[in-house]
Amino acid sequence: MEDQNVSDINIPKPPKGVMIVLEGIDGAGKTTQMTLLHDQLVKDGYDVIRTREPGGTPLAERIRGLVLDKDHDEEVHPITELLLFFAARKQHVEHVIKPALEAGKVVLCDRFVNSTMAYQVMANDLPHDLFFALMQYTVIDANTVPFATYILDISDELSIERLAERLDEQNRLDTGAAEKRALINSVTRQFAQVPGHYLIDGSRTREEVFNEIYPHMTEVIDGYLKEHNTEPSS
Ligand code: T5A
């Protein structure tokens, strides 16, 4: 084994800013809550940016257009789909998320890596090691791991009901079979067992959901900023 000095091991410091993610199956209410949470954070004086995946930069938004387009003439291979999501993510991480975290901002993001695990890896039975390799190079190396993730939990039936109200706006990934939707929803929920993930009952009114998340989220943000922004006293 080669000699290795422990001082050569580069363990990145947590960023000054904090990343918070909303996850949940289609129609769970993420976009609705993003607006309510973002607006209240701004009112309360937080330096916050709101962003989303896939997307968040001009190029990543173009990839979003491609990957969600229902009208491709050729079948999209599951690996192609996975790589497109990670391609968009790398642009987003490097050009938006990382600079914002380094500047000490709160980054509020609509969907992130859990969605890829659910919609691409688990739903298409792709190798986990491919996912984790891509995670390493896009997210972990960039030190942009979310600090808290709120999972808006609704039933498969409620998801279908809410999506039915905007049929004309559905994307390629919204139109999955019932079993696929159930699998994605189940994987989404299982993330609640991971530290830093919080399961929220998304079937309640918009106000009730907001009133549960906001006080918890601000406590998490305040605690993080206090711990990671304070200059050492000597
Ligand atoms: N995707 C994404 C992947 O496959 N892999 C990935 O890695 C990533 C990042 C994104 C698609 O990409 C896929 C997943 C998605 O299919 P999108 O349009 O951003 O596409 O899709 P969603 O993120 O699912 O957004 P949706 O609009 O479908 O759902 P939201 O944002 O969860 O729900 P929202 O807020 O738009 O609400 C839906 C409807 O319900 C109502 C709203 O008014 C709206 O009509 N509503 C409520 N009604 C009653 N009570 C409440 N509490 C309500 N909250 C919202």
Side-chain angles (χ1 to χ4, degrees), residues 26-27 29-32 64 111 116 119-120 166 204 206:
D26 312 81
K30 298 175 298 298
T31 310
T32 304
R64 176 189 176 93
R111 293 191 181 276
T116 316
Y119 285 77
Q120 278 69 51
R166 41 139 240 215
R204 296 167 297 165
R206 294 165 179 81

Side-chain angles (χ1 to χ4, degrees), residues 116-134:
T116 316
M117 181 48 113
Y119 285 77
Q120 278 69 51
V121 179
M122 299 300 277
N124 295 323
D125 206 14
L126 295 183
H128 291 197
D129 57 353
L130 176 57
F131 172 84
F132 287 113
L134 291 165

Side-chain angles (χ1 to χ4, degrees), residues 24-33 53-54 64 68 81 85 89 110-112 115-116 119-120 162-163 165-166 171 173-174 202 204-206 209:
I25 195 153
D26 312 81
K30 298 175 298 298
T31 310
T32 304
Q33 293 301 322
E53 290 221 338
R64 176 189 176 93
L68 300 186
E81 186 177 299
F85 276 106
R89 178 161 300 137
D110 190 340
R111 293 191 181 276
F112 202 54
S115 288
T116 316
Y119 285 77
Q120 278 69 51
R162 287 190 185 165
L163 292 186
E165 288 165 21
R166 41 139 240 215
N171 69 55
L173 298 160
D174 278 340
R204 296 167 297 165
T205 65
R206 294 165 179 81
V209 175

Side-chain angles (χ1 to χ4, degrees), residues 16 19 32 55 59 68 77 94 106 120 125 128 131 133-135 137 158 167 182 191 193 209 220:
K16 270 167 66 190
M19 181 170 180
T32 304
L59 180 54
L68 300 186
H77 191 280
E94 291 298 328
V106 176
Q120 278 69 51
D125 206 14
H128 291 197
F131 172 84
L134 291 165
M135 264 291 283
Y137 286 104
L158 187 54
L167 255 183
F191 273 104
Q193 293 159 22
V209 175
V220 166

